[in-house]
Amino acid sequence: MTTSRLDGMTAAVVGGGALGETIEDCLRRSGAAPWLKTPSPATPTEPADILVFVAATAVDFAEAVAVGLEAAFTHARSVLGPMRRRGHGAIVFCATRQPAAGDCPIAAGIAGGLATLARSIAYQYGADGIRVNVVLPGVLASDADIAAAILLLASPDAVFMTGTCLPIGQPEPSRWPG
Amino acid sequence: MGMGRAIVLRLAAEGALVSILDIDKDAADATSALVADAGGDAIVVPCDLANRIEVRDAVATHLARRGGIEILVNNAGVMHGEDDLVENTPDRAWNFTFAVNLFGPAALYDEIIPFMVRAGKGAIVTCASNAGVMGTTRPVYGASKGALIGLTLALARRHQRDGLRINVVLPGAFATPMIDRVRHFPASVLHPRYRPIAGLADPAAIGGAIAFLVSDDAATINGAIVPVDGGATAV
């Protein structure tokens, strides 16, 4: 499909490694001015029209919450004020990859937290022109698939989508986000 | 009365031998006395759920005194007093909320589920919140509960063949001390337009759903999300 152009839009892509680079490339080809940012929560994200946060993974649950959920919160927090003052903004949270059969409590916890965080930000900031959505990549999703879904949610094509969770490449419907 | 006391009173009335894990020993002692007055049995095990070592010790104390554990109700939770935009929410609100609401229950899962798996039997009910499945004015509280739901349901699936049943209840607005402490509680959620059963609920109303879910009457119910919220999530 042809997604709306993002000409003139600034976009911060936080985390993701190779996936982050794919997302950055996708955004650039759509006309946006993206930059990659390390996911360290210690440094705030510069003001941007679009924030894409890609959750990192960890084996330890507390660490996974820190790099997958708390970091989403702190980066969103740093861009929301400027977005509100500009009167527009799009945030996309990308959950950690969900394995088949749902037997991964850590990934499920991160996905559930991101889903609810997105809903609350959507609720609080919807009137300010800010949209927040989540993509839930499954085992069958390639980086290109994920980047395409993120591009949709970041673009004006998704003008009436906020607080949603979009599963991509999952072998079965996921119920994790509650 | 908080929901914890209401749950303890109901489970003890049903015949359960209860251990109350609570950071507030005085309140737990008062609950224990109420249970004793009613002819039940509830001991107090002081415990800060945000402290991993205390959780481990508390479970060990319970096992030493009771000899087993068939039921776990994860009820403890905190709602930060501040009700503000994400951009104005301090780190301490996140840290405190997640320490109690997410890592507390996760620590109890770590300590208790292996025991239940070895026993081949166990029923867990975790109190999340309808704020864990909806957008609200409390993003940090909601995110902690959303994460708790995701974690809990995945464990329900993982242990479905181990003899365990793990379910989630979503309490809505109950007339509890936690709600009393919350400033600016939005009046809109109490309006019938947003809540078919308007008004703050009596905490006793949570006990019935939990007593059912941990009982054999619910033997085929696993991985369920049960709202007990006056219909707030239904409309």
Side-chain angles (χ1 to χ4, degrees):
Chain A
M1 70 175 264
T2 306
T3 309
S4 292
R5 296 287 298 175
L6 300 175
D7 294 309
M9 298 243 196
T10 54
V13 180
V14 181
L19 171 59
E21 291 176 16
T22 304
I23 295 165
E24 182 198 26
D25 185 51
C26 208
L27 288 165
R28 180 173 290 117
R29 281 191 277 109
S30 294
W35 63 88
L36 288 171
K37 182 166 179 354
T38 60
S40 165
T43 51
T45 307
E46 299 80 0
D49 300 309
I50 295 166
L51 168 67
V52 178
F53 173 84
V54 184
T57 58
V59 175
D60 174 72
F61 183 55
E63 179 65 16
V65 171
V67 299
L69 187 50
E70 184 177 2
F73 170 77
T74 55
H75 286 286
R77 182 174 63 184
S78 64
V79 298
L80 277 166
M83 283 181 173
R84 182 170 51 75
R85 287 187 284 277
R86 291 183 190 190
H88 69 91
I91 297 176
V92 183
F93 295 143
C94 181
T96 50
R97 202 172 285 259
Q98 319 271 337
D103 187 10
C104 186
I106 291 178
I110 302 307
L114 285 175
T116 314
L117 182 62
R119 288 180 186 126
S120 285
I121 299 174
Y123 179 76
Q124 286 193 320
Y125 288 89
D128 298 308
I130 299 168
R131 299 181 302 100
V132 195
N133 293 284
V134 181
V135 294
L136 300 170
V139 282
L140 305 178
S142 69
D143 282 3
D145 296 332
I146 296 167
I150 288 170
L151 192 62
L152 163 72
L153 293 171
S155 80
D157 280 338
V159 67
F160 209 49
M161 294 178 71
T162 193
T164 70
C165 291
L166 186 56
I168 308 155
Q170 292 188 348
E172 58 186 83
S174 172
R175 59 177 183 171
W176 291 337
Chain B
M1 177 167 68
M3 290 197 330
R5 177 172 294 170
I7 294 164
V8 170
L9 288 170
R10 178 60 185 259
L11 293 181
E14 300 276 350
L17 306 176
V18 182
S19 293
I20 306 169
L21 276 61
D22 201 320
I23 194 172
D24 186 346
K25 184 175 184 304
D26 291 343
D29 283 339
T31 300
S32 177
L34 288 171
V35 170
D37 289 345
D41 182 349
I43 59 173
V44 175
V45 182
C47 176
D48 176 3
L49 278 181
N51 184 318
R52 189 69 182 75
I53 304 299
E54 288 193 26
V55 171
R56 188 191 66 198
D57 291 348
V59 172
T61 299
H62 164 86
L63 289 171
R65 295 184 63 178
R66 294 298 201 188
I69 181 164
E70 284 86 39
I71 295 168
L72 166 64
V73 178
N74 268 317
N75 173 67
V78 292
M79 182 184 281
H80 200 266
E82 293 173 38
D83 177 17
D84 211 341
L85 294 172
V86 165
E87 67 199 79
N88 300 326
T89 302
D91 287 343
R92 63 185 152 77
W94 179 279
N95 293 335
F96 176 56
T97 302
F98 270 70
V100 178
N101 291 3
L102 181 61
F103 296 124
L108 285 166
Y109 292 151
D110 278 350
E111 294 296 329
I112 291 173
I113 285 178
F115 185 91
M116 288 179 166
V117 168
R118 283 195 295 278
K121 182 176 170 59
I124 297 175
V125 175
T126 290
C127 295
S129 168
N130 55 6
V133 296
M134 305 163 70
T136 71
T137 57
R138 300 185 182 281
V140 177
Y141 178 80
S144 73
K145 295 296 191 176
L148 179 61
I149 293 166
L151 173 72
T152 303
L153 294 188
L155 291 170
R157 184 179 280 209
R158 169 173 287 184
H159 294 292
Q160 60 190 341
R161 302 197 205 297
D162 294 329
L164 272 62
R165 296 186 303 101
I166 305 175
N167 293 293
V168 173
V169 295
L170 307 180
F174 282 79
T176 64
M178 184 173 88
I179 291 294
D180 289 342
R181 284 192 291 269
V182 172
R183 292 176 294 136
H184 313 306
F185 193 75
S188 62
V189 305
L190 303 179
H191 190 279
R193 179 176 169 189
Y194 305 100
R195 274 262 311 271
I197 304 172
L200 292 171
D202 185 325
I206 197 71
I210 291 176
F212 167 73
L213 286 169
V214 301
S215 79
D216 290 341
D217 283 346
T220 60
I221 301 179
N222 184 42
I225 300 178
V226 182
V228 186
D229 66 352
T233 49
V235 296

